[in-house]
Amino acid sequence: QVQLAESGGGLVQAGGSLRLSCAASGRTFRTYAMGWFRQAPGKEREFVSCISWSGGSTYYADSVKGQFTISRDNAKNTVYLQMNSLKPEDTAVYYCALARNGCRRNDYDYWGQGTQVTVSS
C-alpha cells in the first residue's frame, strides 16, 4: 500500500551539505509521522530523526542535533533531511520509514530502499 523511495545521496566533502528526499506513495502519508535512520558499515541501524504528521514536532538523535534538519511537504508526499556540516562519520546508508504510531513509539512499518551518503575527508 505504501511505497517509499529515497533520493539525494551521493559523495560530498567534509563540511559540505546534502539534502535527502523521501517520496511516498499512498494517500495515508499525510496522516503519519516519518523517520530517518542510517546504517554505517559494521554498525547497527541508528535512529536519526523523526517528524510528526503535521510537521509541528521534530526529534533528533543527539549525534545530529544542530546539524541535520527534518522537514516535510505533505502536498508533495515528501519528507526531507537537510544535512549540513557533514563529517566522515556521517557516512552511511540512509533510510526513511513510516512511523505508524508517531515519533515516540518504535513502530516503523514501511521502509525505503536506502540512499548512500559518503563523506570524504
Side-chain angles (χ1 to χ4, degrees):
Q1 183 180 1
V2 178
Q3 302 291 126
L4 305 176
E6 302 94 336
S7 62
L11 176 63
V12 64
Q13 292 188 175
S17 297
L18 210 59
R19 188 177 77 159
L20 306 183
S21 298
C22 175
S25 66
R27 65 198 226 97
T28 62
F29 171 80
R30 69 188 185 280
T31 68
Y32 289 103
M34 295 290 295
W36 284 97
F37 292 77
R38 67 185 181 185
Q39 186 166 22
K43 302 286 187 62
E44 298 202 357
R45 187 181 63 196
E46 172 189 24
F47 169 79
V48 174
S49 186
C50 187
I51 186 168
S52 65
W53 70 268
S54 68
S57 298
T58 58
Y59 304 85
Y60 298 93
D62 289 341
S63 59
V64 304
K65 284 181 179 176
Q67 182 189 357
F68 293 0
T69 302
I70 191 170
S71 62
R72 69 189 297 160
D73 186 340
N74 286 345
K76 297 181 178 179
N77 291 152
T78 302
V79 62
Y80 305 95
L81 186 68
Q82 179 66 46
M83 309 164 66
N84 297 326
S85 302
L86 284 164
K87 304 179 289 289
E89 49 262 49
D90 295 318
T91 295
V93 177
Y94 284 72
Y95 302 89
C96 67
L98 185 150
R100 199 164 199 90
N101 296 118
C103 292
R104 298 190 304 158
R105 302 176 186 175
N106 193 28
D107 297 329
Y108 293 91
D109 295 325
Y110 299 94
W111 297 78
Q113 82 286 356
T115 186
Q116 176 70 49
V117 172
T118 302
V119 184
S120 65
S121 59

